[in-house]
């Protein structure tokens, strides 16, 4: 990976991380779309009393939900329960930043070698947005289908993903140049 692609990937990863922070922590949307569980202490106590350990659960079972008599009853599509103390905020921030930078580096490398050559700034941004659309289809949209997410959560997550990839695309388009390997493109390289 050339130095401009490396720099672009790191900066894009940091920009993606900052986008996520602003979108999830600074915006009031996340708190309105994913509010705290009503009477949360009682719910946690009930789970502990039932012997729940850290993990992901559905309730009732998928088989029970498919029975005709249970069609109109409430259910939990997915519940992630954690016992004990979770990861500290500094560790979570460090891991999140590392994951974001890895994502930025991969996208910068792909953009450098695979983005439409000769299409300039907009072509590189659109390549990154298209990658975000693929990620949104493979992630939030699939989860929405299988876990019956509310539509508001689906829209929130899709905007998060596509917005983050757009931010990375803008950074990558400004910094990363097409690679010059013969294998990475066909046809003449046109100056951006």
């Amino acid at each position: 990976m050339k130095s401009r692609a490396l720099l672009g990937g790191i900066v894009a990863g940091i920009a993606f991380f900052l986008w996520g922070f602003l979108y999830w922590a600074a915006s009031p949307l996340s708190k309105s779309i994913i509010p705290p569980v009503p009477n949360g202490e009682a719910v946690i106590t009930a789970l502990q009393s039932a012997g729940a350990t850290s993990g992901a659960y559905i309730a009732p079972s998928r088989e029970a939900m498919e029975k005709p008599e249970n069609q109109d009853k409430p259910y939990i599509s997915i519940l992630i329960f954690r016992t004990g103390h979770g990861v500290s905020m500094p560790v979570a921030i460090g891991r999140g930043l590392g994951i974001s930078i890895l994502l930025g580096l991969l996208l910068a490398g792909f953009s450098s070698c695979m983005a439409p050559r000769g299409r300039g700034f907009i072509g590189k941004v659109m390549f990154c947005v298209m990658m975000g659309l693929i990620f949104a289809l493979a992630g939030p949209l699939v989860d929405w289908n299988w876990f019956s997410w509310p539509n508001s959560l689906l829209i929130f997550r899709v905007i998060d993903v596509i917005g983050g990839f757009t931010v990375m695309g803008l950074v990558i388009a400004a910094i990363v140049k097409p690679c010059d390997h013969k294998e990475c493109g066909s046809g003449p390289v046109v100056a951006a």
Side-chain angles (χ1 to χ4, degrees):
M1 184 178 281
K2 292 203 173 195
S3 60
R4 289 186 70 87
L6 185 64
L7 174 65
I10 292 169
V11 175
I14 292 168
F16 182 78
F17 180 81
L18 292 173
W19 161 264
F21 171 77
L22 292 173
Y23 194 73
W24 281 88
S27 165
L29 284 175
S30 65
K31 291 172 187 66
S32 65
I33 291 173
I34 310 173
V37 173
N39 201 5
E41 290 298 321
V43 172
I44 289 174
T45 300
L47 287 166
Q48 289 171 326
S49 297
T53 58
S54 292
Y57 297 93
I58 61 171
S61 69
R62 187 97 29 216
E63 295 78 20
M65 288 184 344
E66 291 175 0
K67 291 181 180 177
E69 65 268 18
N70 293 330
Q71 292 295 312
D72 294 326
K73 290 185 180 176
Y75 65 95
I76 296 172
S77 66
I78 189 164
L79 169 76
I80 300 170
F81 180 67
R82 180 154 178 86
T83 59
H85 183 59
V87 176
S88 70
M89 188 58 76
V91 170
I93 289 171
R95 281 195 320 204
L97 184 58
I99 292 166
S100 296
I101 289 173
L102 178 60
L103 183 59
L105 289 169
L106 289 170
L107 193 57
F110 293 155
S111 178
S112 171
C113 288
M114 296 179 192
R117 300 186 83 174
R119 298 215 179 145
F121 187 88
I122 298 299
K124 288 183 235 171
V125 173
M126 290 311 300
F127 174 81
C128 294
V129 170
M130 294 301 288
M131 294 295 281
L133 286 169
I134 291 168
F135 186 84
L137 286 171
L141 195 62
V142 169
D143 290 343
W144 167 82
N145 178 56
W146 292 109
F147 297 115
S148 302
W149 282 4
N151 291 338
S152 59
L153 179 58
L154 170 67
I155 293 166
F156 181 79
R157 288 287 294 126
V158 167
I159 291 171
D160 178 32
V161 169
I162 295 173
F165 273 78
T166 301
V167 167
M168 284 195 294
L170 292 168
V171 170
I172 288 168
I175 297 174
V176 178
K177 302 297 178 208
C179 84
D180 53 5
H181 298 120
K182 289 184 231 176
E183 301 84 20
C184 290
S186 59
V189 176
V190 179

